[in-house]
Amino acid sequence: ELSSAQKVPILEIFPKQAEQRKPVGKPLILTCRPNVPDQALVTDLQWKDNMNNPILPKPTGRNQPPMYTETLPGDSLALMITSLTSEMTGKYYCTASYANTELLQTSVSIKTYVAITWTNAPENQFPILGTDYTITCEVKADPNPTIDWLRNGDPIRNDAKHVVQANGLLVRNVAETDDGIYTCRAAVIDTGELLERTIRVEVYITPVITHLSTTLEAVEGKPFAANCTATGKPVPEISWIRDSAQLNVAEADRFQVNPQTGLLTVSSVMQEDYGTYTCMAKNAAGLVEQKTKLNVLVRPAVYELYNVTGVSGREIAITCRARGRPAPAITFRRWGSEQPFVTGVQANDARISLEQHQNDEQGDSTGTLRIARSTRQDDGLYQCIASNKGDTAYKTGHIAVEFAPDFSHMKDLPPVFSWEQRKANLSCLAMGIPNATIEWRWNGGNIKDLFDTNLKIEGTGPRSDLIVHPVTRQYYSAYKCIATNIHGTAEQIMQLKEARVPDFVAAATPRQLTATTITFNINGPPTELGLPILAFSVQYKEALNPDWSTALNRSWSPDSPYIVEGLRPQTMYSFRFAARNQVGLGNWGVNQQQSTPRRSAPEEPKPLHNPEQNDKEEPVVVSPYSDHFELRWGVPADNGEPIDRYQIKYCPGVKIAGTWNELENQCNTVEVVETTSYQMTDLSGNSYYRIELKAHNAIGYSSPASIIMKTTRGVDVIQVADRQVLSSAAIVGIAVGGVLLLLFIVDLLCCITVHMGVMAAMCRKAKRSPSEIDDEAKLGSLYGWRFPLPYCSGQLVKEPPPSPLPLPPPVKLGGSPVTSPLDEKEPLRTPTGSIKQNSTIEFDGRFVHSRSGEIIGKNSAV
């Protein structure tokens, strides 16, 4: 109680500092708390401002005033300032009454200052290359601050490059190296306040257009693209403006612009796209533009080219007209030739010249090809070529060269032959434009006026066939074919001769003898052009047999080996020979005798390999494999005893100074039967082997056939695929395919032989009627004789005999002189019933085939 009575009542302000120094704009709270013995005796506690006016509490429901009071728990009164201003500087009082008898009062001074504030200091700034630029850093403070600058942590001093200014840092002649992080530092010495501002500086570069042609060319109707490339920092955005309409073409139809790359694309160029365009490149550093002109090229078009007709020996000119922009250049080339004609006289043919005329204003051109003293060879198709920068146009025209009838193509034809009163066809084909008409004369008279039933004319031109029935020898004569058109007349002599069987064979000499075969060399009799030897025949019998009726016959085609087989060893044979042509078999002649040698070892077998002449000493057969080789050979003559086996010996070896040295201890010998090939295995790579091959029969071994073989180097790259077993489905498919193939072959044979079946019906449907053929002949088509149309079995003459002309196929009449194996009716000329067995030899270029009977092979015309 004593201490309480002695306590002096006071007021305390918190914070307790007598002077409160605070920055402008900051909030502040000051708390006034009574320190008295009895809190209940304190009344009228309040705050007064720097003008000694009471500060009121915060009104209810109103906006917050800048300054007010607020009662706090513990009987304290707080002065609340939401934002200090410089006007609030001064002394503030807290007052109260104690026990209604004593006035309590205390004060506090508030001093304000302006804190460092960045008023204009962007954190990212972009100077432009080559300019003077101030890195802005404007700061506000009270008292005034001091400013300094740092770059990458290092202070910046005033120099020729940098100047520290009140509003920032001046950088003269900005370079790309001025990129970096700058620090603007502000300090107030009085308050001790320090504040830093980090500024990122990135140097921008004004756009520069690096590529844009002053003139662009586009082709009408085609896509087009042009590039306008520009550099700058940041990457500039590129746009294209059409000057005539001041239109950004990116907004127009058919145009597209890539703003990053500057690529302008037009889907289809039109003539109205012609004009001036501006390429604009823009970024934050600036704007640059450049103009270009777009020329629209019009592709050439040939609008006039007419076919022309001229006369041989005179000048012919063909003209081509075309338009385009620029005016196209016109030339010609012969159809089938890649080389066009050049302007002026041609170096390789002075008769031909090319004239060109161009009108650039109207975009029109004319080209004329002139041929002086034209010939038949100038007839044909010519291609007009019109070209400019936009494209090339082509059009084809025809030059027809008319000329008098000509028979030069028939001068080397053989005469026509007939015999036994068979009808003969004398075909006369005249070359000429326009088509020639043909008449026939015989013995000075017009055949048409003779009314001879043995002379029949089919056709009047350009092809005409005279069908002669030589019932008497007077018809074997010369006939004159006369062709006429508007340009002249030509004559051709056609000879009809009577054909006879060949003369005696000139000679037949044995070339090779074995115990069972004889090979002959045959020299045939003289022949006439157009009547060749079709086959040679031989009759042979044992010499002790005087009766030729028991002789055997054999026939050969002229291009096959003349081999008589099946002979008996140590036997004398008589031979006689004859030649056959279309008329028949000639007389037998060249009678001779020849004996066969005794039975002996077989002839030397012939390996079926093609050696390469790799060195001067001996040719070498190269194996495609490194470790194996397949030896193949042909069957030799057995000389009277059948061949029962073959012996193969192969030895490795080397050549030393041109001499072959075998490694005898490494030789291999094998014998094989019933085969003409042997697979040699386990060979060494890149090695030489000598291979000897012998044939053996009951008599002994033949002489050896020898070859040198070389294997390849390294491991074989050729691998034999594993044999796969066919599935049941594959077998069924193969069987069905075989049945269908058999049906097709049967139908084809029916079509050829009896004109029946599916293929025959299709052919008859495609065949043209005779009336159509007659109509074409009447028209006298310019190309009818050049490009004959294909017919299934159409015939110009219903049944003409064979013709020497190669152009139309000969058609067989009744009693045709051409005798096929199916038409042959009689055997070789020997007494009836006296021939034991006949045979025929065929040669296909590799093998000789023997057939018994009267069948003549495909290489025989007998």
Side-chain angles (χ1 to χ4, degrees), residues 241-247:
I241 306 298
R242 184 173 181 177
D243 291 3
S244 61
Q246 287 300 303
L247 172 68

Side-chain angles (χ1 to χ4, degrees), residues 794-810:
Q795 301 171 355
L796 294 176
V797 182
K798 292 185 178 179
E799 287 189 342
S803 167
L805 281 177
L807 292 171

Side-chain angles (χ1 to χ4, degrees), residues 731-809:
I731 295 174
V732 172
I734 294 173
V736 173
V739 172
L740 294 177
L741 179 61
L742 180 61
L743 292 175
F744 174 78
I745 294 173
V746 171
D747 186 72
L748 179 63
L749 293 174
C750 291
C751 176
I752 295 174
T753 56
V754 296
H755 304 293
M756 295 182 66
V758 176
M759 296 180 66
M762 295 173 64
C763 191
R764 284 194 296 271
K765 183 177 180 180
K767 182 177 176 181
R768 301 196 303 179
S769 65
S771 61
E772 292 174 338
I773 299 175
D774 293 341
D775 291 342
E776 184 181 280
K778 292 176 181 178
L779 288 174
S781 170
L782 176 61
Y783 304 103
W785 58 271
R786 295 186 185 177
F787 311 106
L789 297 175
Y791 300 98
C792 286
S793 60
Q795 301 171 355
L796 294 176
V797 182
K798 292 185 178 179
E799 287 189 342
S803 167
L805 281 177
L807 292 171

Side-chain angles (χ1 to χ4, degrees), residues 422-495:
R422 300 188 182 194
K423 291 183 179 180
N425 179 12
L426 278 65
S427 294
C428 182
L429 177 62
M431 299 295 185
I433 301 178
N435 289 337
T437 57
I438 293 178
E439 67 175 25
W440 290 88
R441 292 184 174 273
W442 181 43
N443 295 331
N446 193 324
I447 294 179
K448 186 179 293 185
D449 298 334
L450 298 178
F451 302 102
D452 189 334
T453 57
N454 295 317
L455 300 173
K456 182 181 179 181
I457 298 175
E458 295 282 352
T460 59
R463 168 179 169 166
S464 180
D465 294 288
L466 176 62
I467 301 173
V468 182
H469 188 188
V471 294
T472 62
R473 301 186 65 84
Q474 66 173 346
Y475 290 100
Y476 293 106
S477 177
Y479 297 84
K480 184 182 292 186
C481 170
I482 303 175
T484 304
N485 68 7
I486 59 175
H487 300 298
T489 299
E491 298 180 354
Q492 176 70 18
I493 302 298
M494 306 288 292
Q495 193 76 30

Side-chain angles (χ1 to χ4, degrees), residues 526-558:
T527 60
E528 287 192 78
L529 182 64
L531 197 64
I533 298 298
L534 302 180
F536 291 106
S537 297
V538 64
Q539 281 190 336
Y540 59 98
K541 62 181 181 61
E542 292 185 9
L544 298 178
N545 179 10
D547 187 5
W548 279 101
S549 64
T550 61
L552 298 177
N553 290 339
R554 182 155 297 189
S555 296
W556 304 281
S557 57

